[in-house]
Amino acid sequence: MKKIEMLAFMTAVAVAAAAWLGVAMSSATTVDCGASACKAGTDFHANAESETELLNKVTLHPPIGTVECAASTTTLKLQEQGVGPNPAKASVSELSFEVCNATVKVLQTGSWDIHTDYTVEENGLVQIRTTSNNVGTVTSTGMEVTIELSGFHCIFKTNSTLLGRLTGSAVTKGTATLDIGATIPRTGGRSGAFCGSTAQMTGAYQFTSPGTLDIT
């Protein structure tokens, strides 16, 4: 596993959105485990598979340091498949950032909505694509993370925040992946405005179980 690098601007920790990702919710989402739909209660486990970095986007203050963690893992439990225009839903039972050069704590793990629809940006224009080809997006609600570095203390929390792009096993020819590109607001912390107002997280996670995970 490669190192997860979190760049903190005014000690920010976060999860948020890359400009080339967006979410549309026009069709139901089914999460498949192999040849059949995953049952409610199915656990999904993922590890960070590539360098991950968090960078506060606010430019009013200079950065105060870099937050680096050697590993990150997450476990989810499928709550329900998508019905009608609704996404599939999963609760996050585990989320950790480990072996960090700062104090990084997950206060709440939150939940995910998994959408088959996604958008991309091409030539400066956002084009909405509705797809069933095993590429979709994940939004996060209620994930709350705090960081302490060099005496600064900041808290960030997702609220229907675009987490990243989910690619199924049929596309990767192996395990499913989640490419993170996210921006979340600051919701608290003793350091107040020194934390900035938002923070970014980028990187990638690989699902280690189930072995085959697709979205349709």
Side-chain angles (χ1 to χ4, degrees), residues 19 42 64 115 124 128 137 164 166 172 186 189 204:
T42 299
I64 64 168
H115 315 265
I128 298 177
T137 48
L166 180 63
T172 65
R186 177 180 63 85

Side-chain angles (χ1 to χ4, degrees), residues 18-212:
W20 52 275
L21 284 173
V23 174
M25 294 176 283
S26 61
S27 63
T29 299
T30 300
V31 182
D32 297 324
C33 297
S36 61
C38 301
K39 296 180 179 180
T42 299
D43 288 328
F44 308 137
H45 183 78
N47 296 322
E49 65 167 352
S50 63
E51 185 174 283
T52 300
E53 59 185 16
L54 280 74
L55 172 63
N56 191 303
K57 297 180 67 175
V58 175
T59 58
L60 298 177
H61 308 282
I64 64 168
T66 298
V67 178
E68 296 181 348
C69 296
S72 179
T73 61
T74 187
T75 301
L76 305 102
K77 185 179 294 292
L78 182 66
Q79 299 299 312
E80 60 185 50
Q81 298 282 6
V83 178
N86 300 318
K89 295 182 178 294
S91 59
V92 182
S93 56
E94 175 195 10
L95 176 63
S96 65
F97 298 99
E98 303 169 350
V99 194
C100 303
N101 68 335
T103 301
V104 180
K105 295 180 179 179
V106 178
L107 303 181
Q108 298 182 57
T109 54
S111 62
W112 285 14
D113 284 354
I114 303 171
H115 315 265
T116 52
D117 301 336
Y118 71 104
T119 65
V120 294
E121 184 174 319
E122 295 180 357
N123 300 321
L125 300 176
V126 175
Q127 302 181 359
I128 298 177
R129 297 180 176 180
T130 302
T131 156
S132 59
N133 67 349
N134 279 292
V135 179
T137 48
V138 171
T139 52
S140 170
T141 296
M143 184 191 73
E144 188 174 28
V145 185
T146 183
I147 196 170
E148 293 187 63
L149 177 66
S150 302
F152 289 85
H153 175 265
C154 309
I155 300 174
F156 296 85
K157 188 175 183 179
T158 60
N159 183 15
S160 297
T161 300
L162 178 62
L163 195 59
R165 182 176 61 185
L166 180 63
T167 304
S169 299
V171 176
T172 65
K173 307 303 181 183
T175 56
T177 60
L178 176 65
D179 294 304
I180 301 290
T183 302
I184 61 174
R186 177 180 63 85
T187 57
R190 295 189 302 271
S191 300
F194 287 101
C195 299
S197 61
T198 62
Q200 279 185 320
M201 179 180 177
T202 61
Y205 285 79
Q206 185 176 61
F207 286 86
T208 57
S209 65
T212 300

